[in-house]
Amino acid sequence: MISVMKYWGIYIALFFCTVTHFAAAEVTVAVITPKAGDYAVQGQELTRGAQKAVEEINAAGGLKKQKIKVLDIDDQCRDSTAVSTAQMLSLGQNHKISLVIGPYCANAFAEVAQIYAKAKIFQIIPTTVDAANAKVMQKGLIKMLGYTTEQAADFFNFYNAHFAGEKVAMVSNILQPQSVEIAETVTDQFAKHGKAVVLQNYTYDMTSRDYKALAKQIIKAGNDIAFLTGTPKNICKLARQLRLLDDEMKIFINKYQATDEYLKDMEELAEGTYFLALRGKRDDPEFAEALVKLRLSGFETDGLALYGYEAIKLWAALVEKAGSFDYTKLSKAAKNEKIETGVGHFMFHNGTPQKNESYAVYQYQNGALVKVD
């Protein structure tokens, strides 16, 4: 069987052989996302958004008179694949990668970022990152939206406005760092506001992954609300048991952890579920004109597509500001100044946004997600 490293070596080598037939005035952007598995939909959305932005730029004559080519790579949400992909992309010589969008999953974040920085490949993370990865700093690394911890405050604010006093079961998977982080930050929020008494933490291992037994524990303890984190499988199995035992249980989940499979697996039991998700540019007045144009062009603006789109627009704005595709000049252009992208603006400090993207709460009602906060 061909190794992962050899696979990507052949894949990228073939790509570079192919692009030699194109005009020299061309730059390459690599979009690295999962194309299969639990997070395939998120990967497809980000890629679709990035490709749309590239199409617009190319149709207008390119960026600094150069056309942009997209190299679409599946990293499978695996650490080993993310690292080997970064290593192979860093070897490009005649057709050096100018930008990497992603990866979507954490995927050995610090190691991957170091590889790209050493190769002087500019990198933009188009979604939120967890607390551990927030501490990773590299010269040409931009974390576009901020941190996943923002959702803890947004969840608490929604809870306090609508369900204050009701008991909350916070459920996490101890083997999944992001799940643990969400549980810890939500717990901190309740404690910070003097409401620790209404929140109780649970893990799937408390009942040896017996989801029915765990659901019974949660209900017996008098919880009215359950915030479920973990893998899509964890979330779906426990949500199903909770709904079967108590159809009035208020279930909250992170939309990107549960994925679209939740609605398919739960079917009618999904009704009334609350989803925490990034607010999206619909709520951003700066993006209003661009959003109308995208819709008129037939571009579907749901999900993470807008963030893939805006990541490319951000990079293009930095290139224009720096007057170059050069890694060092782009890094300088991203420091401590407002960057106008044409679809909004950003400000960064050491590659981190000065303002975190907030989360909204949606509820699944009659077959559609309805914003309720």
Side-chain angles (χ1 to χ4, degrees), residues 124-127 142-146 281 284 286-287 306-315 317-318 321 333-349 351-357:
I124 296 178
I125 307 300
T127 52
I142 283 186
K143 302 150 195 164
M144 200 173 85
L145 301 184
K281 295 301 176 179
D284 186 347
E286 287 189 295
F287 200 79
L306 288 176
Y307 297 104
Y309 177 88
E310 195 162 30
I312 294 291
K313 292 292 187 177
L314 170 60
W315 170 68
L318 287 170
K321 182 179 176 183
K335 284 188 175 181
N336 303 324
E337 292 183 42
K338 182 183 287 187
I339 303 161
E340 298 289 350
T341 67
V343 291
H345 74 271
F346 291 85
M347 289 189 72
F348 297 95
H349 178 67
T352 61
Q354 292 195 351
K355 182 180 179 182
N356 285 336
E357 189 83 357

Short mmCIF file of all heavy atoms in Angstrom, two decimals, residues 124-127 142-146 281 284 286-287 306-315 317-318 321 333-349 351-357:
data_model
loop_
_atom_site.label_atom_id
_atom_site.label_comp_id
_atom_site.label_asym_id
_atom_site.label_seq_id
_atom_site.Cartn_x
_atom_site.Cartn_y
_atom_site.Cartn_z
N ILE A 124 -3.89 31.29 6.50
CA ILE A 124 -5.07 31.88 7.13
C ILE A 124 -5.98 30.76 7.61
O ILE A 124 -6.35 29.87 6.85
CB ILE A 124 -5.85 32.79 6.15
CG1 ILE A 124 -5.00 33.99 5.74
CG2 ILE A 124 -7.15 33.28 6.80
CD1 ILE A 124 -5.68 34.92 4.73
N ILE A 125 -6.32 30.79 8.89
CA ILE A 125 -7.29 29.84 9.46
C ILE A 125 -8.66 30.50 9.38
O ILE A 125 -8.91 31.50 10.05
CB ILE A 125 -6.95 29.51 10.93
CG1 ILE A 125 -5.49 29.05 11.07
CG2 ILE A 125 -7.91 28.44 11.45
CD1 ILE A 125 -5.13 27.83 10.27
N PRO A 126 -9.58 29.98 8.55
CA PRO A 126 -10.84 30.69 8.28
C PRO A 126 -11.94 30.50 9.31
O PRO A 126 -13.01 31.09 9.19
CB PRO A 126 -11.26 30.09 6.93
CG PRO A 126 -10.74 28.69 6.99
CD PRO A 126 -9.43 28.77 7.73
N THR A 127 -11.70 29.66 10.33
CA THR A 127 -12.70 29.44 11.37
C THR A 127 -12.07 29.70 12.74
O THR A 127 -10.92 30.10 12.83
CB THR A 127 -13.25 28.01 11.30
OG1 THR A 127 -12.14 27.09 11.31
CG2 THR A 127 -14.07 27.79 10.04
N ILE A 142 -2.44 33.84 10.31
CA ILE A 142 -3.57 34.66 10.73
C ILE A 142 -4.73 33.77 11.15
O ILE A 142 -5.14 32.87 10.40
CB ILE A 142 -4.04 35.60 9.60
CG1 ILE A 142 -3.07 36.78 9.50
CG2 ILE A 142 -5.44 36.11 9.85
CD1 ILE A 142 -3.50 37.84 8.53
N LYS A 143 -5.23 33.99 12.36
CA LYS A 143 -6.44 33.31 12.83
C LYS A 143 -7.58 34.29 12.62
O LYS A 143 -7.73 35.26 13.36
CB LYS A 143 -6.28 32.94 14.30
CG LYS A 143 -5.08 32.05 14.57
CD LYS A 143 -4.52 32.29 15.95
CE LYS A 143 -3.13 31.69 16.06
NZ LYS A 143 -2.40 32.21 17.22
N MET A 144 -8.39 34.03 11.64
CA MET A 144 -9.30 35.04 11.12
C MET A 144 -10.44 35.43 12.06
O MET A 144 -10.84 36.59 12.13
CB MET A 144 -9.87 34.55 9.78
CG MET A 144 -10.44 35.64 8.90
SD MET A 144 -10.90 35.00 7.28
CE MET A 144 -12.55 34.39 7.59
N LEU A 145 -10.99 34.47 12.80
CA LEU A 145 -12.23 34.73 13.54
C LEU A 145 -12.10 34.78 15.05
O LEU A 145 -13.01 35.24 15.73
CB LEU A 145 -13.29 33.68 13.17
CG LEU A 145 -13.67 33.59 11.70
CD1 LEU A 145 -14.78 32.57 11.52
CD2 LEU A 145 -14.10 34.93 11.16
N GLY A 146 -11.00 34.28 15.60
CA GLY A 146 -10.88 34.28 17.06
C GLY A 146 -10.97 32.88 17.62
O GLY A 146 -10.51 31.92 17.01
N LYS A 281 -22.27 36.35 8.16
CA LYS A 281 -22.20 37.73 7.71
C LYS A 281 -23.57 38.35 7.44
O LYS A 281 -23.67 39.53 7.12
CB LYS A 281 -21.34 37.81 6.45
CG LYS A 281 -19.89 37.43 6.72
CD LYS A 281 -19.28 38.36 7.77
CE LYS A 281 -17.88 37.94 8.14
NZ LYS A 281 -17.27 38.83 9.14
N ASP A 284 -23.87 41.25 9.66
CA ASP A 284 -22.82 42.26 9.56
C ASP A 284 -23.22 43.30 8.51
O ASP A 284 -23.24 43.01 7.32
CB ASP A 284 -21.51 41.58 9.16
CG ASP A 284 -20.33 42.53 9.17
OD1 ASP A 284 -20.56 43.76 9.24
OD2 ASP A 284 -19.18 42.06 9.11
N GLU A 286 -21.61 45.64 7.22
CA GLU A 286 -20.56 45.86 6.23
C GLU A 286 -20.66 44.87 5.06
O GLU A 286 -20.18 45.14 3.96
CB GLU A 286 -19.19 45.72 6.88
CG GLU A 286 -18.80 46.87 7.78
CD GLU A 286 -17.36 46.73 8.21
OE1 GLU A 286 -17.04 45.77 8.93
OE2 GLU A 286 -16.55 47.59 7.83
N PHE A 287 -21.23 43.72 5.35
CA PHE A 287 -21.27 42.66 4.36
C PHE A 287 -22.56 42.68 3.52
O PHE A 287 -22.69 41.93 2.57
CB PHE A 287 -21.15 41.30 5.06
CG PHE A 287 -20.70 40.18 4.16
CD1 PHE A 287 -19.37 40.04 3.83
CD2 PHE A 287 -21.60 39.28 3.65
CE1 PHE A 287 -18.95 39.01 3.00
CE2 PHE A 287 -21.19 38.24 2.82
CZ PHE A 287 -19.86 38.12 2.50
N LEU A 306 -19.16 31.44 3.52
CA LEU A 306 -18.81 32.85 3.59
C LEU A 306 -17.44 33.08 4.20
O LEU A 306 -16.75 34.04 3.87
CB LEU A 306 -19.86 33.62 4.41
CG LEU A 306 -21.22 33.80 3.71
CD1 LEU A 306 -22.20 34.48 4.65
CD2 LEU A 306 -21.06 34.61 2.44
N TYR A 307 -17.03 32.17 5.10
CA TYR A 307 -15.73 32.35 5.74
C TYR A 307 -14.59 31.94 4.80
O TYR A 307 -13.51 32.53 4.83
CB TYR A 307 -15.69 31.58 7.06
CG TYR A 307 -16.71 32.13 8.03
CD1 TYR A 307 -17.90 31.47 8.28
CD2 TYR A 307 -16.51 33.36 8.64
CE1 TYR A 307 -18.86 31.99 9.13
CE2 TYR A 307 -17.45 33.90 9.50
CZ TYR A 307 -18.63 33.21 9.74
OH TYR A 307 -19.58 33.74 10.57
N GLY A 308 -14.84 30.92 3.97
CA GLY A 308 -13.86 30.58 2.93
C GLY A 308 -13.74 31.72 1.93
O GLY A 308 -12.64 32.09 1.50
N TYR A 309 -14.87 32.30 1.58
CA TYR A 309 -14.93 33.44 0.65
C TYR A 309 -14.16 34.62 1.22
O TYR A 309 -13.32 35.23 0.55
CB TYR A 309 -16.40 33.81 0.42
CG TYR A 309 -16.64 35.00 -0.48
CD1 TYR A 309 -16.73 34.84 -1.86
CD2 TYR A 309 -16.80 36.27 0.05
CE1 TYR A 309 -16.97 35.94 -2.69
CE2 TYR A 309 -17.03 37.37 -0.76
CZ TYR A 309 -17.13 37.20 -2.13
OH TYR A 309 -17.36 38.28 -2.94
N GLU A 310 -14.42 34.93 2.48
CA GLU A 310 -13.80 36.11 3.08
C GLU A 310 -12.31 35.90 3.35
O GLU A 310 -11.54 36.87 3.34
CB GLU A 310 -14.52 36.49 4.36
CG GLU A 310 -14.16 37.90 4.82
CD GLU A 310 -15.16 38.47 5.80
OE1 GLU A 310 -15.76 37.68 6.55
OE2 GLU A 310 -15.31 39.70 5.83
N ALA A 311 -11.90 34.66 3.58
CA ALA A 311 -10.47 34.39 3.77
C ALA A 311 -9.67 34.78 2.53
O ALA A 311 -8.59 35.40 2.63
CB ALA A 311 -10.25 32.92 4.11
N ILE A 312 -10.19 34.44 1.36
CA ILE A 312 -9.53 34.82 0.11
C ILE A 312 -9.55 36.33 -0.07
O ILE A 312 -8.55 36.95 -0.47
CB ILE A 312 -10.20 34.13 -1.10
CG1 ILE A 312 -9.98 32.61 -1.04
CG2 ILE A 312 -9.67 34.70 -2.42
CD1 ILE A 312 -8.56 32.16 -1.28
N LYS A 313 -10.68 36.95 0.23
CA LYS A 313 -10.79 38.40 0.10
C LYS A 313 -9.83 39.12 1.05
O LYS A 313 -9.26 40.17 0.71
CB LYS A 313 -12.23 38.84 0.38
CG LYS A 313 -13.25 38.40 -0.67
CD LYS A 313 -13.01 39.12 -1.99
CE LYS A 313 -14.13 38.81 -2.99
NZ LYS A 313 -13.98 39.56 -4.25
N LEU A 314 -9.65 38.57 2.24
CA LEU A 314 -8.70 39.14 3.21
C LEU A 314 -7.28 39.07 2.67
O LEU A 314 -6.53 40.05 2.72
CB LEU A 314 -8.81 38.39 4.54
CG LEU A 314 -7.74 38.69 5.59
CD1 LEU A 314 -7.77 40.17 5.97
CD2 LEU A 314 -7.95 37.83 6.83
N TRP A 315 -6.91 37.90 2.16
CA TRP A 315 -5.57 37.73 1.58
C TRP A 315 -5.36 38.69 0.40
O TRP A 315 -4.31 39.35 0.29
CB TRP A 315 -5.39 36.29 1.14
CG TRP A 315 -4.16 36.03 0.31
CD1 TRP A 315 -2.86 36.08 0.72
CD2 TRP A 315 -4.13 35.67 -1.08
NE1 TRP A 315 -2.02 35.76 -0.32
CE2 TRP A 315 -2.78 35.52 -1.42
CE3 TRP A 315 -5.12 35.45 -2.03
CZ2 TRP A 315 -2.38 35.15 -2.72
CZ3 TRP A 315 -4.73 35.08 -3.32
CH2 TRP A 315 -3.38 34.94 -3.65
N ALA A 317 -6.76 41.55 -0.09
CA ALA A 317 -6.62 42.91 0.43
C ALA A 317 -5.21 43.13 0.98
O ALA A 317 -4.62 44.21 0.82
CB ALA A 317 -7.66 43.16 1.52
N LEU A 318 -4.65 42.09 1.63
CA LEU A 318 -3.29 42.19 2.15
C LEU A 318 -2.27 42.30 1.02
O LEU A 318 -1.29 43.06 1.12
CB LEU A 318 -2.98 40.98 3.02
CG LEU A 318 -3.66 40.93 4.39
CD1 LEU A 318 -3.46 39.56 5.04
CD2 LEU A 318 -3.11 42.02 5.30
N LYS A 321 -2.44 45.78 -0.27
CA LYS A 321 -1.86 46.69 0.71
C LYS A 321 -0.33 46.59 0.72
O LYS A 321 0.38 47.62 0.79
CB LYS A 321 -2.40 46.37 2.10
CG LYS A 321 -1.91 47.30 3.20
CD LYS A 321 -2.54 46.90 4.54
CE LYS A 321 -1.99 47.76 5.67
NZ LYS A 321 -2.52 47.34 6.98
N ALA A 333 1.94 43.74 6.57
CA ALA A 333 0.69 44.41 6.20
C ALA A 333 -0.46 44.04 7.13
O ALA A 333 -1.44 44.78 7.26
CB ALA A 333 0.32 44.08 4.76
N ALA A 334 -0.34 42.89 7.80
CA ALA A 334 -1.42 42.40 8.67
C ALA A 334 -1.29 42.89 10.10
O ALA A 334 -2.09 42.53 10.95
CB ALA A 334 -1.43 40.87 8.66
N LYS A 335 -0.30 43.72 10.39
CA LYS A 335 -0.03 44.13 11.77
C LYS A 335 -0.69 45.45 12.16
O LYS A 335 -0.42 46.49 11.57
CB LYS A 335 1.48 44.25 12.00
CG LYS A 335 2.18 42.92 12.15
CD LYS A 335 3.63 43.12 12.58
CE LYS A 335 4.31 41.78 12.85
NZ LYS A 335 5.71 41.95 13.28
N ASN A 336 -1.57 45.36 13.16
CA ASN A 336 -2.05 46.54 13.89
C ASN A 336 -2.67 47.65 13.05
O ASN A 336 -2.66 48.80 13.43
CB ASN A 336 -0.91 47.13 14.74
CG ASN A 336 -0.35 46.11 15.69
OD1 ASN A 336 -1.07 45.28 16.24
ND2 ASN A 336 0.96 46.15 15.89
N GLU A 337 -3.19 47.33 11.90
CA GLU A 337 -3.87 48.32 11.08
C GLU A 337 -5.17 47.72 10.55
O GLU A 337 -5.29 46.51 10.37
CB GLU A 337 -3.00 48.76 9.89
CG GLU A 337 -1.76 49.54 10.27
CD GLU A 337 -0.98 50.00 9.05
OE1 GLU A 337 -1.63 50.43 8.08
OE2 GLU A 337 0.26 49.89 9.07
N LYS A 338 -6.13 48.61 10.27
CA LYS A 338 -7.39 48.14 9.72
C LYS A 338 -7.18 47.67 8.28
O LYS A 338 -6.53 48.34 7.48
CB LYS A 338 -8.43 49.26 9.75
CG LYS A 338 -9.80 48.82 9.24
CD LYS A 338 -10.79 49.98 9.22
CE LYS A 338 -11.23 50.34 10.61
NZ LYS A 338 -12.31 51.36 10.59
N ILE A 339 -7.74 46.49 7.98
CA ILE A 339 -7.62 45.93 6.63
C ILE A 339 -9.01 45.89 6.02
O ILE A 339 -9.90 45.17 6.49
CB ILE A 339 -7.03 44.51 6.67
CG1 ILE A 339 -5.66 44.54 7.35
CG2 ILE A 339 -6.91 43.93 5.26
CD1 ILE A 339 -5.21 43.18 7.84
N GLU A 340 -9.22 46.66 4.99
CA GLU A 340 -10.51 46.69 4.30
C GLU A 340 -10.50 45.61 3.22
O GLU A 340 -9.62 45.58 2.36
CB GLU A 340 -10.75 48.06 3.66
CG GLU A 340 -10.83 49.21 4.65
CD GLU A 340 -12.09 49.19 5.50
OE1 GLU A 340 -13.00 48.39 5.20
OE2 GLU A 340 -12.17 49.97 6.46
N THR A 341 -11.49 44.73 3.27
CA THR A 341 -11.51 43.62 2.32
C THR A 341 -12.52 43.81 1.19
O THR A 341 -12.58 43.00 0.27
CB THR A 341 -11.86 42.30 3.04
OG1 THR A 341 -13.21 42.37 3.52
CG2 THR A 341 -10.92 42.05 4.20
N GLY A 342 -13.35 44.82 1.29
CA GLY A 342 -14.42 44.99 0.32
C GLY A 342 -15.69 44.30 0.77
O GLY A 342 -16.78 44.55 0.25
N VAL A 343 -15.58 43.44 1.78
CA VAL A 343 -16.75 42.77 2.36
C VAL A 343 -16.72 42.92 3.87
O VAL A 343 -17.25 42.09 4.61
CB VAL A 343 -16.82 41.28 1.96
CG1 VAL A 343 -17.12 41.12 0.49
CG2 VAL A 343 -15.50 40.57 2.30
N GLY A 344 -16.06 43.97 4.35
CA GLY A 344 -15.92 44.19 5.78
C GLY A 344 -14.47 44.53 6.09
O GLY A 344 -13.64 44.67 5.18
N HIS A 345 -14.13 44.68 7.37
CA HIS A 345 -12.76 45.00 7.72
C HIS A 345 -12.28 44.14 8.90
O HIS A 345 -13.08 43.63 9.66
CB HIS A 345 -12.61 46.49 8.06
CG HIS A 345 -13.18 46.87 9.39
ND1 HIS A 345 -14.49 47.25 9.54
CD2 HIS A 345 -12.63 46.93 10.63
CE1 HIS A 345 -14.73 47.53 10.82
NE2 HIS A 345 -13.62 47.34 11.50
N PHE A 346 -10.97 44.03 8.99
CA PHE A 346 -10.33 43.26 10.06
C PHE A 346 -9.20 44.07 10.67
O PHE A 346 -8.59 44.91 10.01
CB PHE A 346 -9.74 41.95 9.50
CG PHE A 346 -10.73 40.94 9.05
CD1 PHE A 346 -11.25 41.00 7.76
CD2 PHE A 346 -11.14 39.92 9.88
CE1 PHE A 346 -12.17 40.05 7.34
CE2 PHE A 346 -12.05 38.97 9.46
CZ PHE A 346 -12.57 39.04 8.19
N MET A 347 -8.92 43.77 11.94
CA MET A 347 -7.71 44.28 12.59
C MET A 347 -7.07 43.14 13.36
O MET A 347 -7.77 42.36 14.02
CB MET A 347 -8.03 45.45 13.52
CG MET A 347 -8.42 46.72 12.79
SD MET A 347 -8.55 48.17 13.88
CE MET A 347 -6.81 48.46 14.25
N PHE A 348 -5.74 43.01 13.25
CA PHE A 348 -5.04 41.91 13.89
C PHE A 348 -3.89 42.41 14.75
O PHE A 348 -3.33 43.48 14.51
CB PHE A 348 -4.46 40.95 12.83
CG PHE A 348 -5.49 40.29 11.98
CD1 PHE A 348 -5.85 40.83 10.75
CD2 PHE A 348 -6.12 39.13 12.40
CE1 PHE A 348 -6.81 40.22 9.96
CE2 PHE A 348 -7.08 38.52 11.61
CZ PHE A 348 -7.43 39.06 10.40
N HIS A 349 -3.56 41.62 15.76
CA HIS A 349 -2.36 41.86 16.56
C HIS A 349 -1.63 40.54 16.68
O HIS A 349 -2.16 39.57 17.23
CB HIS A 349 -2.73 42.39 17.95
CG HIS A 349 -1.54 42.60 18.84
ND1 HIS A 349 -0.60 43.57 18.58
CD2 HIS A 349 -1.12 41.94 19.95
CE1 HIS A 349 0.34 43.52 19.50
NE2 HIS A 349 0.05 42.53 20.35
N GLY A 351 -1.23 38.38 14.46
CA GLY A 351 -1.98 37.34 13.76
C GLY A 351 -3.28 36.93 14.39
O GLY A 351 -3.96 36.02 13.92
N THR A 352 -3.66 37.59 15.49
CA THR A 352 -4.93 37.27 16.14
C THR A 352 -5.88 38.45 15.98
O THR A 352 -5.47 39.61 16.04
CB THR A 352 -4.74 36.97 17.64
OG1 THR A 352 -4.19 38.13 18.29
CG2 THR A 352 -3.80 35.80 17.83
N PRO A 353 -7.17 38.19 15.78
CA PRO A 353 -8.12 39.29 15.57
C PRO A 353 -8.35 40.08 16.85
O PRO A 353 -8.33 39.53 17.95
CB PRO A 353 -9.39 38.56 15.14
CG PRO A 353 -9.28 37.20 15.75
CD PRO A 353 -7.82 36.87 15.74
N GLN A 354 -8.51 41.39 16.70
CA GLN A 354 -8.77 42.22 17.88
C GLN A 354 -10.19 42.04 18.40
O GLN A 354 -10.50 42.43 19.51
CB GLN A 354 -8.49 43.69 17.55
CG GLN A 354 -7.01 43.96 17.31
CD GLN A 354 -6.66 45.42 17.34
OE1 GLN A 354 -7.54 46.28 17.38
NE2 GLN A 354 -5.38 45.73 17.32
N LYS A 355 -11.03 41.42 17.58
CA LYS A 355 -12.40 41.14 18.01
C LYS A 355 -12.77 39.71 17.64
O LYS A 355 -12.64 39.31 16.49
CB LYS A 355 -13.38 42.12 17.36
CG LYS A 355 -14.83 41.92 17.80
CD LYS A 355 -15.75 42.91 17.12
CE LYS A 355 -17.20 42.69 17.54
NZ LYS A 355 -18.14 43.61 16.85
N ASN A 356 -13.22 38.94 18.61
CA ASN A 356 -13.63 37.56 18.35
C ASN A 356 -15.00 37.51 17.68
O ASN A 356 -15.89 38.30 18.00
CB ASN A 356 -13.71 36.76 19.65
CG ASN A 356 -12.34 36.39 20.18
OD1 ASN A 356 -11.38 36.33 19.44
ND2 ASN A 356 -12.26 36.17 21.47
N GLU A 357 -15.16 36.58 16.76
CA GLU A 357 -16.46 36.35 16.14
C GLU A 357 -17.40 35.74 17.18
O GLU A 357 -17.04 34.78 17.87
CB GLU A 357 -16.32 35.40 14.96
CG GLU A 357 -17.57 35.27 14.11
CD GLU A 357 -17.72 36.38 13.08
OE1 GLU A 357 -16.87 37.29 13.07
OE2 GLU A 357 -18.66 36.34 12.30
#
